[in-house]
Amino acid sequence: MARINKVLIVGGGIAGLTLAIGLTQQGIEVDLVEIKTEWTVYGVGIIQQANVLRAMEHLGLLDTYVATGFPFDEVGMYGPDGGLRVKLPSPRLAGNRYPANMGISRRALHDMLTHTAQEKGTRVRLGITVHSFEEGPDHIEVTFTDGTQGQYDLVVGADGLYSKVRTLLFGDIKPTFSGMSVWRHNFQRPAHVDHLMAYPSTPHTNAAGIVPLGKDLMYLFVTSREDGNPWMPQEKLHQLMQERMQGLGGLVGELAREITDPQQVVYKPIEVVFQDGPWHKGRVLLIGDAVHATSPHVGQGAGMAIEDSAVLSEMLPGSHHLEDTLQDFTRRRFERCRTIHQMSMQVNTWELTHPPDANTPGIIQQMMQYTAQPI
């Protein structure tokens, strides 16, 4: 089988863009299609932990990436009254000259990735996606939704939770509602917010967290039980978020009073997917949320997608047996992604049921130790 020379990436989110950067740096031609007609970013900020910084180093992005966000080395666990309970140090997996963790705005991250991907030679087309594909003996023929066609050595579905590529490969696999939703809001960052401040849930309060994103920016998130996945009216989002922050003191309680504009609240039901079966068929592979979308409870959803990109960018160049390479990729990623998914869903379940033996700080420490292992 010939070397992989040309790849189509479907989806212009974190997984697709980081993979595009990784592959073009290895001399592989990359086309990327994104169904949105213009670049838009959903959400406010994102936590990137030590293993993600290490993966960004593998992709050659670390210096630009660190300059774009807010670095920190510790995770603080706080009580509902706002008092500090414990600080958990994080390892500096990318080396001592780099921080352990980052907070970064989704817009800043997306802008950095899109600029870098195109600068490296990725050919981007917006407003289209894959309509169908037909596999030949040494290539795959793709028909796009605008009627155009292209030939590729490999197609990678990085098109998220509701992946069209996943549907074409394996049928209509629907995401599952986790029973919870997340509320987010940006604020001005005071100087003392220089680390992730986590407030685990109690039987009487929802979980919350404050994440520094930049010199003058931070965001607040709150996770809440939402039975039946109800529709939330946009004009009342500020009031509904405040209601879900009742009983929380300290800085979170102060910030609740500043939530007055429903347009500034980002609300999202937490939906998940984990594909226990194969992640590829023939010359088509799924990565990121298209195959292992998890809840945000241990902050590793985007991290697992970025690790996917780093690993695939390492494995594809020089590959002359694509089927073996894709099987090896899945074997290398499957257990790691499933373990993170299980950890995250464990915290999700605890927040729904509040058993007396719930130990969110313990899961966070376990996750840090686990993700510190090589990818």
Side-chain angles (χ1 to χ4, degrees):
M1 185 178 289
R3 179 183 184 273
I4 302 301
N5 294 305
K6 189 175 181 182
V7 173
L8 172 68
I9 298 172
V10 184
I14 292 172
L17 289 168
T18 52
L19 179 60
I21 293 165
L23 294 182
T24 52
Q25 291 182 149
Q26 297 285 349
I28 294 175
E29 289 184 62
V30 175
D31 287 352
L32 185 148
V33 295
E34 165 56 49
I35 188 62
K36 294 177 182 177
T37 56
E38 59 184 31
W39 292 122
T40 57
V41 179
Y42 186 87
V44 293
I46 191 168
I47 303 164
Q48 306 271 259
Q49 299 185 51
N51 61 302
V52 186
L53 272 73
R54 179 177 58 193
M56 284 294 204
E57 181 186 32
H58 290 172
L59 290 165
L61 292 170
L62 189 54
D63 287 321
T64 304
Y65 170 67
V66 169
T68 306
F70 189 96
F72 60 92
D73 285 334
E74 295 177 312
V75 176
M77 309 299 291
Y78 291 76
D81 61 355
L84 177 65
R85 300 296 191 262
V86 65
K87 276 192 175 181
L88 307 176
S90 302
R92 291 192 167 199
L93 298 181
N96 287 334
R97 57 186 290 254
Y98 294 105
N101 309 298
M102 289 275 296
I104 189 170
S105 82
R106 286 185 178 266
R107 168 56 65 187
L109 177 59
H110 191 267
D111 287 349
M112 184 269 284
L113 292 177
T114 53
H115 174 77
T116 305
Q118 291 177 292
E119 183 182 58
K120 298 291 184 183
T122 301
R123 296 180 291 265
V124 175
R125 288 200 290 166
L126 301 180
I128 66 168
T129 190
V130 170
H131 176 268
S132 61
F133 36 73
E134 183 174 348
E135 192 156 338
D138 57 3
H139 70 274
I140 184 166
E141 182 89 23
V142 178
T143 300
F144 298 99
T145 50
D146 66 352
T148 59
Q149 294 183 318
Q151 284 189 2
Y152 301 92
D153 300 313
L154 174 68
V155 174
V156 179
D159 50 342
L161 191 64
Y162 285 88
S163 170
K164 173 72 175 294
V165 177
R166 185 181 68 230
T167 298
L168 290 172
L169 281 186
F170 301 114
D172 191 15
I173 300 172
K174 295 185 181 299
T176 302
F177 177 55
S178 74
M180 305 201 73
S181 296
V182 60
W183 309 72
R184 298 181 175 98
H185 192 293
N186 278 342
F187 294 93
Q188 285 286 112
R189 184 187 71 86
H192 69 276
V193 179
D194 58 0
H195 61 285
L196 168 60
M197 303 172 67
Y199 295 69
S201 69
T202 74
H204 307 292
T205 60
N206 289 315
I210 300 170
V211 185
L213 300 177
K215 179 180 178 182
D216 300 311
L217 185 66
M218 66 182 187
Y219 84 93
L220 166 74
F221 67 84
V222 178
T223 54
S224 62
R225 178 173 183 157
E226 303 295 344
D227 292 334
N229 194 10
W231 177 78
M232 299 293 180
Q234 174 66 44
E235 69 276 9
K236 294 184 178 180
L237 288 182
H238 61 308
Q239 298 170 349
L240 295 170
M241 185 172 182
Q242 286 179 325
E243 289 174 7
R244 283 148 181 83
M245 296 169 68
Q246 289 180 2
L248 289 168
L251 181 56
V252 172
E254 296 171 16
L255 293 175
R257 295 189 286 272
E258 297 182 28
I259 301 173
T260 58
D261 181 359
Q263 298 297 323
Q264 300 302 311
V265 177
V266 177
Y267 172 78
K268 186 179 181 182
I270 298 173
E271 297 176 293
V272 299
V273 164
F274 190 88
Q275 186 152 317
D276 281 318
W279 289 6
H280 84 283
K281 183 183 291 186
R283 292 178 175 269
V284 185
L285 171 72
L286 300 174
I287 68 169
D289 281 357
V291 72
H292 53 71
T294 190
S295 78
H297 287 93
V298 298
Q300 281 287 339
M304 291 298 103
I306 294 169
E307 284 190 357
D308 284 352
S309 296
V311 170
L312 192 58
S313 296
E314 172 195 307
M315 297 181 71
L316 272 185
S319 169
H320 295 284
H321 301 282
L322 182 61
E323 179 67 22
D324 291 345
T325 298
L326 298 184
Q327 289 182 2
D328 288 345
F329 170 81
T330 302
R331 279 193 289 267
R332 188 166 162 183
R333 297 297 300 151
F334 186 89
E335 284 301 326
R336 186 173 178 92
C337 293
R338 181 166 67 176
T339 298
I340 291 299
H341 184 86
Q342 290 171 339
M343 288 179 179
S344 193
M345 294 309 296
Q346 177 64 80
V347 179
N348 188 100
T349 299
W350 284 342
E351 290 189 6
L352 289 172
T353 59
H354 301 290
D357 60 346
N359 183 12
T360 297
I363 285 283
I364 298 300
Q365 286 184 302
Q366 184 182 350
M367 177 274 297
M368 289 178 179
Q369 293 169 356
Y370 184 74
T371 54
Q373 298 175 20
I375 60 174

